[in-house]
PDB file of all heavy atoms in Angstrom:
ATOM      1  N   LEU H   1      11.352   8.373   9.633  1.00  0.00           N
ATOM      2  CA  LEU H   1      10.825   7.898  10.909  1.00  0.00           C
ATOM      3  C   LEU H   1       9.327   8.150  10.998  1.00  0.00           C
ATOM      4  O   LEU H   1       8.562   7.290  11.472  1.00  0.00           O
ATOM      5  CB  LEU H   1      11.555   8.589  12.059  1.00  0.00           C
ATOM      6  CG  LEU H   1      11.183   8.135  13.471  1.00  0.00           C
ATOM      7  CD1 LEU H   1      11.475   6.651  13.660  1.00  0.00           C
ATOM      8  CD2 LEU H   1      11.940   8.957  14.511  1.00  0.00           C
ATOM      9  N   SER H   2       8.882   9.309  10.535  1.00  0.00           N
ATOM     10  CA  SER H   2       7.442   9.612  10.524  1.00  0.00           C
ATOM     11  C   SER H   2       6.697   8.615   9.650  1.00  0.00           C
ATOM     12  O   SER H   2       5.626   8.118  10.029  1.00  0.00           O
ATOM     13  CB  SER H   2       7.212  11.038   9.999  1.00  0.00           C
ATOM     14  OG  SER H   2       7.856  11.991  10.806  1.00  0.00           O
ATOM     15  N   GLY H   3       7.265   8.319   8.497  1.00  0.00           N
ATOM     16  CA  GLY H   3       6.632   7.340   7.611  1.00  0.00           C
ATOM     17  C   GLY H   3       6.593   5.957   8.236  1.00  0.00           C
ATOM     18  O   GLY H   3       5.579   5.254   8.125  1.00  0.00           O
ATOM     19  N   ALA H   4       7.671   5.556   8.920  1.00  0.00           N
ATOM     20  CA  ALA H   4       7.710   4.237   9.552  1.00  0.00           C
ATOM     21  C   ALA H   4       6.644   4.113  10.632  1.00  0.00           C
ATOM     22  O   ALA H   4       6.008   3.056  10.778  1.00  0.00           O
ATOM     23  CB  ALA H   4       9.101   3.981  10.143  1.00  0.00           C
ATOM     24  N   LEU H   5       6.432   5.174  11.401  1.00  0.00           N
ATOM     25  CA  LEU H   5       5.403   5.156  12.447  1.00  0.00           C
ATOM     26  C   LEU H   5       4.012   4.985  11.835  1.00  0.00           C
ATOM     27  O   LEU H   5       3.168   4.251  12.365  1.00  0.00           O
ATOM     28  CB  LEU H   5       5.471   6.435  13.267  1.00  0.00           C
ATOM     29  CG  LEU H   5       6.703   6.574  14.186  1.00  0.00           C
ATOM     30  CD1 LEU H   5       6.803   8.003  14.726  1.00  0.00           C
ATOM     31  CD2 LEU H   5       6.628   5.581  15.340  1.00  0.00           C
ATOM     32  N   CYS H   6       3.775   5.664  10.704  1.00  0.00           N
ATOM     33  CA  CYS H   6       2.475   5.549  10.036  1.00  0.00           C
ATOM     34  C   CYS H   6       2.292   4.160   9.413  1.00  0.00           C
ATOM     35  O   CYS H   6       1.221   3.553   9.532  1.00  0.00           O
ATOM     36  CB  CYS H   6       2.350   6.627   8.952  1.00  0.00           C
ATOM     37  SG  CYS H   6       2.343   8.323   9.570  1.00  0.00           S
ATOM     38  N   TYR H   7       3.317   3.659   8.773  1.00  0.00           N
ATOM     39  CA  TYR H   7       3.230   2.335   8.161  1.00  0.00           C
ATOM     40  C   TYR H   7       3.101   1.249   9.221  1.00  0.00           C
ATOM     41  O   TYR H   7       2.570   0.169   8.953  1.00  0.00           O
ATOM     42  CB  TYR H   7       4.458   2.071   7.296  1.00  0.00           C
ATOM     43  CG  TYR H   7       4.353   2.584   5.874  1.00  0.00           C
ATOM     44  CD1 TYR H   7       4.078   3.920   5.618  1.00  0.00           C
ATOM     45  CD2 TYR H   7       4.524   1.739   4.798  1.00  0.00           C
ATOM     46  CE1 TYR H   7       3.998   4.402   4.323  1.00  0.00           C
ATOM     47  CE2 TYR H   7       4.449   2.203   3.490  1.00  0.00           C
ATOM     48  CZ  TYR H   7       4.179   3.540   3.259  1.00  0.00           C
ATOM     49  OH  TYR H   7       4.092   4.010   1.975  1.00  0.00           O
ATOM     50  N   GLY H   8       3.602   1.526  10.441  1.00  0.00           N
ATOM     51  CA  GLY H   8       3.427   0.571  11.525  1.00  0.00           C
ATOM     52  C   GLY H   8       1.959   0.338  11.824  1.00  0.00           C
ATOM     53  O   GLY H   8       1.526  -0.797  12.058  1.00  0.00           O
ATOM     54  N   GLU H   9       1.167   1.413  11.813  1.00  0.00           N
ATOM     55  CA  GLU H   9      -0.274   1.279  12.032  1.00  0.00           C
ATOM     56  C   GLU H   9      -0.918   0.490  10.900  1.00  0.00           C
ATOM     57  O   GLU H   9      -1.728  -0.420  11.134  1.00  0.00           O
ATOM     58  CB  GLU H   9      -0.923   2.663  12.136  1.00  0.00           C
ATOM     59  CG  GLU H   9      -2.428   2.615  12.267  1.00  0.00           C
ATOM     60  CD  GLU H   9      -3.058   3.972  12.547  1.00  0.00           C
ATOM     61  OE1 GLU H   9      -2.433   4.800  13.249  1.00  0.00           O
ATOM     62  OE2 GLU H   9      -4.193   4.204  12.073  1.00  0.00           O
ATOM     63  N   LEU H  10      -0.560   0.821   9.662  1.00  0.00           N
ATOM     64  CA  LEU H  10      -1.145   0.138   8.513  1.00  0.00           C
ATOM     65  C   LEU H  10      -0.742  -1.328   8.463  1.00  0.00           C
ATOM     66  O   LEU H  10      -1.550  -2.202   8.159  1.00  0.00           O
ATOM     67  CB  LEU H  10      -0.713   0.847   7.223  1.00  0.00           C
ATOM     68  CG  LEU H  10      -1.318   2.236   7.005  1.00  0.00           C
ATOM     69  CD1 LEU H  10      -0.572   2.978   5.906  1.00  0.00           C
ATOM     70  CD2 LEU H  10      -2.798   2.135   6.665  1.00  0.00           C
ATOM     71  N   GLY H  11       0.541  -1.606   8.780  1.00  0.00           N
ATOM     72  CA  GLY H  11       1.013  -2.986   8.756  1.00  0.00           C
ATOM     73  C   GLY H  11       0.341  -3.849   9.803  1.00  0.00           C
ATOM     74  O   GLY H  11       0.077  -5.035   9.571  1.00  0.00           O
ATOM     75  N   ALA H  12       0.060  -3.264  10.968  1.00  0.00           N
ATOM     76  CA  ALA H  12      -0.636  -4.009  12.015  1.00  0.00           C
ATOM     77  C   ALA H  12      -2.092  -4.263  11.638  1.00  0.00           C
ATOM     78  O   ALA H  12      -2.674  -5.292  11.995  1.00  0.00           O
ATOM     79  CB  ALA H  12      -0.553  -3.246  13.333  1.00  0.00           C
ATOM     80  N   MET H  13      -2.699  -3.325  10.900  1.00  0.00           N
ATOM     81  CA  MET H  13      -4.087  -3.480  10.467  1.00  0.00           C
ATOM     82  C   MET H  13      -4.224  -4.507   9.349  1.00  0.00           C
ATOM     83  O   MET H  13      -5.162  -5.300   9.327  1.00  0.00           O
ATOM     84  CB  MET H  13      -4.626  -2.128   9.981  1.00  0.00           C
ATOM     85  CG  MET H  13      -4.812  -1.080  11.063  1.00  0.00           C
ATOM     86  SD  MET H  13      -5.025   0.571  10.351  1.00  0.00           S
ATOM     87  CE  MET H  13      -6.572   0.382   9.476  1.00  0.00           C
ATOM     88  N   PHE H  14      -3.274  -4.482   8.414  1.00  0.00           N
ATOM     89  CA  PHE H  14      -3.356  -5.326   7.223  1.00  0.00           C
ATOM     90  C   PHE H  14      -2.068  -6.135   7.069  1.00  0.00           C
ATOM     91  O   PHE H  14      -1.232  -5.836   6.218  1.00  0.00           O
ATOM     92  CB  PHE H  14      -3.578  -4.465   5.977  1.00  0.00           C
ATOM     93  CG  PHE H  14      -4.697  -3.466   6.119  1.00  0.00           C
ATOM     94  CD1 PHE H  14      -4.434  -2.103   5.979  1.00  0.00           C
ATOM     95  CD2 PHE H  14      -5.975  -3.871   6.397  1.00  0.00           C
ATOM     96  CE1 PHE H  14      -5.449  -1.180   6.108  1.00  0.00           C
ATOM     97  CE2 PHE H  14      -7.003  -2.953   6.525  1.00  0.00           C
ATOM     98  CZ  PHE H  14      -6.747  -1.602   6.381  1.00  0.00           C
ATOM     99  N   PRO H  15      -1.884  -7.170   7.890  1.00  0.00           N
ATOM    100  CA  PRO H  15      -0.630  -7.934   7.852  1.00  0.00           C
ATOM    101  C   PRO H  15      -0.607  -8.952   6.726  1.00  0.00           C
ATOM    102  O   PRO H  15      -0.654 -10.165   6.946  1.00  0.00           O
ATOM    103  CB  PRO H  15      -0.618  -8.613   9.229  1.00  0.00           C
ATOM    104  CG  PRO H  15      -2.065  -8.807   9.551  1.00  0.00           C
ATOM    105  CD  PRO H  15      -2.792  -7.626   8.961  1.00  0.00           C
ATOM    106  N   ARG H  16      -0.534  -8.454   5.505  1.00  0.00           N
ATOM    107  CA  ARG H  16      -0.567  -9.326   4.345  1.00  0.00           C
ATOM    108  C   ARG H  16       0.555  -8.961   3.389  1.00  0.00           C
ATOM    109  O   ARG H  16       1.107  -7.863   3.429  1.00  0.00           O
ATOM    110  CB  ARG H  16      -1.916  -9.212   3.622  1.00  0.00           C
ATOM    111  CG  ARG H  16      -3.102  -9.520   4.509  1.00  0.00           C
ATOM    112  CD  ARG H  16      -4.412  -9.298   3.787  1.00  0.00           C
ATOM    113  NE  ARG H  16      -4.591 -10.228   2.684  1.00  0.00           N
ATOM    114  CZ  ARG H  16      -5.629 -10.186   1.858  1.00  0.00           C
ATOM    115  NH1 ARG H  16      -6.563  -9.258   2.012  1.00  0.00           N
ATOM    116  NH2 ARG H  16      -5.735 -11.058   0.883  1.00  0.00           N
ATOM    117  N   ALA H  17       0.896  -9.872   2.489  1.00  0.00           N
ATOM    118  CA  ALA H  17       1.919  -9.593   1.485  1.00  0.00           C
ATOM    119  C   ALA H  17       1.450  -8.466   0.576  1.00  0.00           C
ATOM    120  O   ALA H  17       0.286  -8.423   0.167  1.00  0.00           O
ATOM    121  CB  ALA H  17       2.198 -10.847   0.655  1.00  0.00           C
ATOM    122  N   GLY H  18       2.342  -7.530   0.259  1.00  0.00           N
ATOM    123  CA  GLY H  18       2.003  -6.487  -0.706  1.00  0.00           C
ATOM    124  C   GLY H  18       2.281  -5.076  -0.260  1.00  0.00           C
ATOM    125  O   GLY H  18       2.401  -4.174  -1.081  1.00  0.00           O
ATOM    126  N   GLY H  19       2.349  -4.814   1.052  1.00  0.00           N
ATOM    127  CA  GLY H  19       2.701  -3.487   1.541  1.00  0.00           C
ATOM    128  C   GLY H  19       1.771  -2.392   1.054  1.00  0.00           C
ATOM    129  O   GLY H  19       0.549  -2.458   1.255  1.00  0.00           O
ATOM    130  N   GLU H  20       2.329  -1.386   0.387  1.00  0.00           N
ATOM    131  CA  GLU H  20       1.553  -0.224  -0.032  1.00  0.00           C
ATOM    132  C   GLU H  20       0.379  -0.609  -0.919  1.00  0.00           C
ATOM    133  O   GLU H  20      -0.677   0.041  -0.878  1.00  0.00           O
ATOM    134  CB  GLU H  20       2.457   0.770  -0.771  1.00  0.00           C
ATOM    135  CG  GLU H  20       3.389   1.527   0.159  1.00  0.00           C
ATOM    136  CD  GLU H  20       4.478   2.255  -0.599  1.00  0.00           C
ATOM    137  OE1 GLU H  20       4.626   2.008  -1.804  1.00  0.00           O
ATOM    138  OE2 GLU H  20       5.196   3.051   0.022  1.00  0.00           O
ATOM    139  N   TYR H  21       0.552  -1.624  -1.742  1.00  0.00           N
ATOM    140  CA  TYR H  21      -0.559  -2.053  -2.595  1.00  0.00           C
ATOM    141  C   TYR H  21      -1.776  -2.412  -1.753  1.00  0.00           C
ATOM    142  O   TYR H  21      -2.895  -1.976  -2.034  1.00  0.00           O
ATOM    143  CB  TYR H  21      -0.146  -3.240  -3.473  1.00  0.00           C
ATOM    144  CG  TYR H  21      -1.328  -3.835  -4.191  1.00  0.00           C
ATOM    145  CD1 TYR H  21      -1.868  -3.196  -5.301  1.00  0.00           C
ATOM    146  CD2 TYR H  21      -1.956  -4.982  -3.711  1.00  0.00           C
ATOM    147  CE1 TYR H  21      -2.989  -3.709  -5.928  1.00  0.00           C
ATOM    148  CE2 TYR H  21      -3.071  -5.497  -4.335  1.00  0.00           C
ATOM    149  CZ  TYR H  21      -3.582  -4.864  -5.446  1.00  0.00           C
ATOM    150  OH  TYR H  21      -4.704  -5.352  -6.060  1.00  0.00           O
ATOM    151  N   VAL H  22      -1.573  -3.204  -0.704  1.00  0.00           N
ATOM    152  CA  VAL H  22      -2.678  -3.603   0.176  1.00  0.00           C
ATOM    153  C   VAL H  22      -3.229  -2.390   0.915  1.00  0.00           C
ATOM    154  O   VAL H  22      -4.451  -2.203   1.013  1.00  0.00           O
ATOM    155  CB  VAL H  22      -2.200  -4.679   1.174  1.00  0.00           C
ATOM    156  CG1 VAL H  22      -3.285  -4.963   2.210  1.00  0.00           C
ATOM    157  CG2 VAL H  22      -1.831  -5.960   0.439  1.00  0.00           C
ATOM    158  N   PHE H  23      -2.364  -1.525   1.431  1.00  0.00           N
ATOM    159  CA  PHE H  23      -2.808  -0.365   2.204  1.00  0.00           C
ATOM    160  C   PHE H  23      -3.679   0.554   1.352  1.00  0.00           C
ATOM    161  O   PHE H  23      -4.740   1.022   1.790  1.00  0.00           O
ATOM    162  CB  PHE H  23      -1.605   0.417   2.733  1.00  0.00           C
ATOM    163  CG  PHE H  23      -0.648  -0.396   3.567  1.00  0.00           C
ATOM    164  CD1 PHE H  23       0.674   0.002   3.711  1.00  0.00           C
ATOM    165  CD2 PHE H  23      -1.049  -1.561   4.201  1.00  0.00           C
ATOM    166  CE1 PHE H  23       1.567  -0.734   4.461  1.00  0.00           C
ATOM    167  CE2 PHE H  23      -0.167  -2.318   4.967  1.00  0.00           C
ATOM    168  CZ  PHE H  23       1.147  -1.900   5.092  1.00  0.00           C
ATOM    169  N   LEU H  24      -3.243   0.816   0.116  1.00  0.00           N
ATOM    170  CA  LEU H  24      -3.996   1.728  -0.747  1.00  0.00           C
ATOM    171  C   LEU H  24      -5.264   1.081  -1.288  1.00  0.00           C
ATOM    172  O   LEU H  24      -6.263   1.764  -1.532  1.00  0.00           O
ATOM    173  CB  LEU H  24      -3.102   2.196  -1.903  1.00  0.00           C
ATOM    174  CG  LEU H  24      -2.058   3.236  -1.500  1.00  0.00           C
ATOM    175  CD1 LEU H  24      -1.051   3.461  -2.612  1.00  0.00           C
ATOM    176  CD2 LEU H  24      -2.725   4.554  -1.129  1.00  0.00           C
ATOM    177  N   ARG H  25      -5.264  -0.224  -1.450  1.00  0.00           N
ATOM    178  CA  ARG H  25      -6.497  -0.891  -1.866  1.00  0.00           C
ATOM    179  C   ARG H  25      -7.570  -0.730  -0.808  1.00  0.00           C
ATOM    180  O   ARG H  25      -8.748  -0.513  -1.107  1.00  0.00           O
ATOM    181  CB  ARG H  25      -6.219  -2.381  -2.113  1.00  0.00           C
ATOM    182  CG  ARG H  25      -7.429  -3.130  -2.705  1.00  0.00           C
ATOM    183  CD  ARG H  25      -7.187  -4.613  -2.699  1.00  0.00           C
ATOM    184  NE  ARG H  25      -7.102  -5.116  -1.340  1.00  0.00           N
ATOM    185  CZ  ARG H  25      -6.515  -6.267  -1.026  1.00  0.00           C
ATOM    186  NH1 ARG H  25      -5.941  -7.000  -1.951  1.00  0.00           N
ATOM    187  NH2 ARG H  25      -6.495  -6.667   0.237  1.00  0.00           N
ATOM    188  N   GLU H  26      -7.157  -0.807   0.465  1.00  0.00           N
ATOM    189  CA  GLU H  26      -8.127  -0.683   1.549  1.00  0.00           C
ATOM    190  C   GLU H  26      -8.600   0.760   1.736  1.00  0.00           C
ATOM    191  O   GLU H  26      -9.732   0.991   2.160  1.00  0.00           O
ATOM    192  CB  GLU H  26      -7.508  -1.190   2.856  1.00  0.00           C
ATOM    193  CG  GLU H  26      -7.075  -2.651   2.835  1.00  0.00           C
ATOM    194  CD  GLU H  26      -8.227  -3.598   2.557  1.00  0.00           C
ATOM    195  OE1 GLU H  26      -9.366  -3.297   2.979  1.00  0.00           O
ATOM    196  OE2 GLU H  26      -8.006  -4.636   1.915  1.00  0.00           O
ATOM    197  N   SER H  27      -7.753   1.726   1.418  1.00  0.00           N
ATOM    198  CA  SER H  27      -8.128   3.124   1.653  1.00  0.00           C
ATOM    199  C   SER H  27      -8.718   3.809   0.429  1.00  0.00           C
ATOM    200  O   SER H  27      -9.601   4.670   0.559  1.00  0.00           O
ATOM    201  CB  SER H  27      -6.913   3.925   2.147  1.00  0.00           C
ATOM    202  OG  SER H  27      -5.843   3.841   1.238  1.00  0.00           O
ATOM    203  N   PHE H  28      -8.263   3.453  -0.768  1.00  0.00           N
ATOM    204  CA  PHE H  28      -8.720   4.160  -1.973  1.00  0.00           C
ATOM    205  C   PHE H  28      -9.276   3.249  -3.062  1.00  0.00           C
ATOM    206  O   PHE H  28      -9.780   3.739  -4.066  1.00  0.00           O
ATOM    207  CB  PHE H  28      -7.567   4.975  -2.572  1.00  0.00           C
ATOM    208  CG  PHE H  28      -7.168   6.165  -1.746  1.00  0.00           C
ATOM    209  CD1 PHE H  28      -5.950   6.181  -1.080  1.00  0.00           C
ATOM    210  CD2 PHE H  28      -7.997   7.269  -1.633  1.00  0.00           C
ATOM    211  CE1 PHE H  28      -5.573   7.271  -0.321  1.00  0.00           C
ATOM    212  CE2 PHE H  28      -7.627   8.365  -0.874  1.00  0.00           C
ATOM    213  CZ  PHE H  28      -6.409   8.377  -0.217  1.00  0.00           C
ATOM    214  N   GLY H  29      -9.167   1.938  -2.914  1.00  0.00           N
ATOM    215  CA  GLY H  29      -9.685   1.038  -3.928  1.00  0.00           C
ATOM    216  C   GLY H  29      -8.602   0.493  -4.840  1.00  0.00           C
ATOM    217  O   GLY H  29      -7.434   0.877  -4.778  1.00  0.00           O
ATOM    218  N   LYS H  30      -9.018  -0.409  -5.729  1.00  0.00           N
ATOM    219  CA  LYS H  30      -8.063  -1.143  -6.551  1.00  0.00           C
ATOM    220  C   LYS H  30      -7.314  -0.277  -7.562  1.00  0.00           C
ATOM    221  O   LYS H  30      -6.163  -0.547  -7.887  1.00  0.00           O
ATOM    222  CB  LYS H  30      -8.775  -2.269  -7.295  1.00  0.00           C
ATOM    223  CG  LYS H  30      -8.973  -3.527  -6.465  1.00  0.00           C
ATOM    224  CD  LYS H  30      -9.470  -4.648  -7.361  1.00  0.00           C
ATOM    225  CE  LYS H  30      -9.566  -5.957  -6.586  1.00  0.00           C
ATOM    226  NZ  LYS H  30     -10.030  -7.069  -7.433  1.00  0.00           N
ATOM    227  N   GLY H  31      -7.972   0.760  -8.089  1.00  0.00           N
ATOM    228  CA  GLY H  31      -7.325   1.586  -9.104  1.00  0.00           C
ATOM    229  C   GLY H  31      -6.070   2.258  -8.584  1.00  0.00           C
ATOM    230  O   GLY H  31      -4.990   2.153  -9.178  1.00  0.00           O
ATOM    231  N   VAL H  32      -6.207   2.955  -7.464  1.00  0.00           N
ATOM    232  CA  VAL H  32      -5.049   3.631  -6.865  1.00  0.00           C
ATOM    233  C   VAL H  32      -4.036   2.607  -6.383  1.00  0.00           C
ATOM    234  O   VAL H  32      -2.822   2.806  -6.504  1.00  0.00           O
ATOM    235  CB  VAL H  32      -5.514   4.534  -5.694  1.00  0.00           C
ATOM    236  CG1 VAL H  32      -4.312   5.162  -4.998  1.00  0.00           C
ATOM    237  CG2 VAL H  32      -6.450   5.618  -6.213  1.00  0.00           C
ATOM    238  N   ALA H  33      -4.525   1.481  -5.839  1.00  0.00           N
ATOM    239  CA  ALA H  33      -3.618   0.438  -5.372  1.00  0.00           C
ATOM    240  C   ALA H  33      -2.777  -0.105  -6.527  1.00  0.00           C
ATOM    241  O   ALA H  33      -1.575  -0.341  -6.386  1.00  0.00           O
ATOM    242  CB  ALA H  33      -4.406  -0.692  -4.717  1.00  0.00           C
ATOM    243  N   PHE H  34      -3.414  -0.292  -7.677  1.00  0.00           N
ATOM    244  CA  PHE H  34      -2.671  -0.782  -8.835  1.00  0.00           C
ATOM    245  C   PHE H  34      -1.545   0.170  -9.207  1.00  0.00           C
ATOM    246  O   PHE H  34      -0.418  -0.267  -9.518  1.00  0.00           O
ATOM    247  CB  PHE H  34      -3.595  -0.979 -10.033  1.00  0.00           C
ATOM    248  CG  PHE H  34      -2.860  -1.385 -11.281  1.00  0.00           C
ATOM    249  CD1 PHE H  34      -2.589  -2.722 -11.533  1.00  0.00           C
ATOM    250  CD2 PHE H  34      -2.407  -0.429 -12.180  1.00  0.00           C
ATOM    251  CE1 PHE H  34      -1.891  -3.097 -12.669  1.00  0.00           C
ATOM    252  CE2 PHE H  34      -1.705  -0.801 -13.318  1.00  0.00           C
ATOM    253  CZ  PHE H  34      -1.443  -2.132 -13.563  1.00  0.00           C
ATOM    254  N   LEU H  35      -1.828   1.469  -9.208  1.00  0.00           N
ATOM    255  CA  LEU H  35      -0.789   2.442  -9.556  1.00  0.00           C
ATOM    256  C   LEU H  35       0.383   2.359  -8.584  1.00  0.00           C
ATOM    257  O   LEU H  35       1.546   2.485  -8.970  1.00  0.00           O
ATOM    258  CB  LEU H  35      -1.373   3.857  -9.577  1.00  0.00           C
ATOM    259  CG  LEU H  35      -2.358   4.155 -10.710  1.00  0.00           C
ATOM    260  CD1 LEU H  35      -2.863   5.587 -10.607  1.00  0.00           C
ATOM    261  CD2 LEU H  35      -1.711   3.919 -12.074  1.00  0.00           C
ATOM    262  N   SER H  36       0.068   2.147  -7.311  1.00  0.00           N
ATOM    263  CA  SER H  36       1.139   1.971  -6.324  1.00  0.00           C
ATOM    264  C   SER H  36       1.953   0.723  -6.625  1.00  0.00           C
ATOM    265  O   SER H  36       3.196   0.740  -6.553  1.00  0.00           O
ATOM    266  CB  SER H  36       0.542   1.873  -4.917  1.00  0.00           C
ATOM    267  OG  SER H  36       1.530   1.506  -3.975  1.00  0.00           O
ATOM    268  N   GLY H  37       1.268  -0.365  -6.947  1.00  0.00           N
ATOM    269  CA  GLY H  37       1.971  -1.592  -7.288  1.00  0.00           C
ATOM    270  C   GLY H  37       2.799  -1.441  -8.555  1.00  0.00           C
ATOM    271  O   GLY H  37       3.923  -1.965  -8.659  1.00  0.00           O
ATOM    272  N   TRP H  38       2.278  -0.696  -9.506  1.00  0.00           N
ATOM    273  CA  TRP H  38       3.010  -0.422 -10.741  1.00  0.00           C
ATOM    274  C   TRP H  38       4.283   0.378 -10.440  1.00  0.00           C
ATOM    275  O   TRP H  38       5.349   0.084 -10.977  1.00  0.00           O
ATOM    276  CB  TRP H  38       2.107   0.341 -11.699  1.00  0.00           C
ATOM    277  CG  TRP H  38       2.758   0.762 -12.977  1.00  0.00           C
ATOM    278  CD1 TRP H  38       3.308   1.983 -13.260  1.00  0.00           C
ATOM    279  CD2 TRP H  38       2.921  -0.030 -14.153  1.00  0.00           C
ATOM    280  NE1 TRP H  38       3.808   2.000 -14.532  1.00  0.00           N
ATOM    281  CE2 TRP H  38       3.585   0.782 -15.109  1.00  0.00           C
ATOM    282  CE3 TRP H  38       2.587  -1.345 -14.487  1.00  0.00           C
ATOM    283  CZ2 TRP H  38       3.902   0.315 -16.383  1.00  0.00           C
ATOM    284  CZ3 TRP H  38       2.902  -1.801 -15.760  1.00  0.00           C
ATOM    285  CH2 TRP H  38       3.551  -0.976 -16.685  1.00  0.00           C
ATOM    286  N   ILE H  39       4.152   1.375  -9.574  1.00  0.00           N
ATOM    287  CA  ILE H  39       5.318   2.164  -9.159  1.00  0.00           C
ATOM    288  C   ILE H  39       6.335   1.256  -8.472  1.00  0.00           C
ATOM    289  O   ILE H  39       7.549   1.364  -8.693  1.00  0.00           O
ATOM    290  CB  ILE H  39       4.901   3.322  -8.232  1.00  0.00           C
ATOM    291  CG1 ILE H  39       4.118   4.372  -9.030  1.00  0.00           C
ATOM    292  CG2 ILE H  39       6.108   3.967  -7.561  1.00  0.00           C
ATOM    293  CD1 ILE H  39       3.474   5.441  -8.171  1.00  0.00           C
ATOM    294  N   SER H  40       5.838   0.353  -7.620  1.00  0.00           N
ATOM    295  CA  SER H  40       6.747  -0.572  -6.943  1.00  0.00           C
ATOM    296  C   SER H  40       7.495  -1.441  -7.947  1.00  0.00           C
ATOM    297  O   SER H  40       8.701  -1.674  -7.814  1.00  0.00           O
ATOM    298  CB  SER H  40       5.973  -1.464  -5.965  1.00  0.00           C
ATOM    299  OG  SER H  40       5.498  -0.720  -4.880  1.00  0.00           O
ATOM    300  N   LEU H  41       6.772  -1.915  -8.952  1.00  0.00           N
ATOM    301  CA  LEU H  41       7.382  -2.793  -9.944  1.00  0.00           C
ATOM    302  C   LEU H  41       8.515  -2.094 -10.685  1.00  0.00           C
ATOM    303  O   LEU H  41       9.627  -2.623 -10.795  1.00  0.00           O
ATOM    304  CB  LEU H  41       6.316  -3.276 -10.937  1.00  0.00           C
ATOM    305  CG  LEU H  41       6.812  -4.094 -12.136  1.00  0.00           C
ATOM    306  CD1 LEU H  41       7.479  -5.366 -11.675  1.00  0.00           C
ATOM    307  CD2 LEU H  41       5.652  -4.399 -13.081  1.00  0.00           C
ATOM    308  N   VAL H  42       8.242  -0.878 -11.185  1.00  0.00           N
ATOM    309  CA  VAL H  42       9.220  -0.189 -12.031  1.00  0.00           C
ATOM    310  C   VAL H  42      10.205   0.624 -11.203  1.00  0.00           C
ATOM    311  O   VAL H  42      11.416   0.561 -11.405  1.00  0.00           O
ATOM    312  CB  VAL H  42       8.498   0.719 -13.054  1.00  0.00           C
ATOM    313  CG1 VAL H  42       9.517   1.427 -13.942  1.00  0.00           C
ATOM    314  CG2 VAL H  42       7.524  -0.093 -13.896  1.00  0.00           C
ATOM    315  N   VAL H  43       9.677   1.410 -10.247  1.00  0.00           N
ATOM    316  CA  VAL H  43      10.486   2.403  -9.548  1.00  0.00           C
ATOM    317  C   VAL H  43      10.891   1.943  -8.153  1.00  0.00           C
ATOM    318  O   VAL H  43      12.009   2.180  -7.703  1.00  0.00           O
ATOM    319  CB  VAL H  43       9.728   3.746  -9.444  1.00  0.00           C
ATOM    320  CG1 VAL H  43      10.630   4.820  -8.860  1.00  0.00           C
ATOM    321  CG2 VAL H  43       9.202   4.176 -10.801  1.00  0.00           C
ATOM    322  N   GLY H  44       9.972   1.301  -7.442  1.00  0.00           N
ATOM    323  CA  GLY H  44      10.238   0.974  -6.049  1.00  0.00           C
ATOM    324  C   GLY H  44      11.276  -0.109  -5.869  1.00  0.00           C
ATOM    325  O   GLY H  44      12.021  -0.104  -4.887  1.00  0.00           O
TER     326      GLY H  44
END
């Protein structure tokens, strides 16, 4: 529930396809965002 509340803020700010990849690209840049997307591909 805590995570959903936080992602609600991020989703409203960046309403685009990609979820965590988009959120981390905006906060930490493409490198960290790529790792998140990679995790999503294999693990998520």
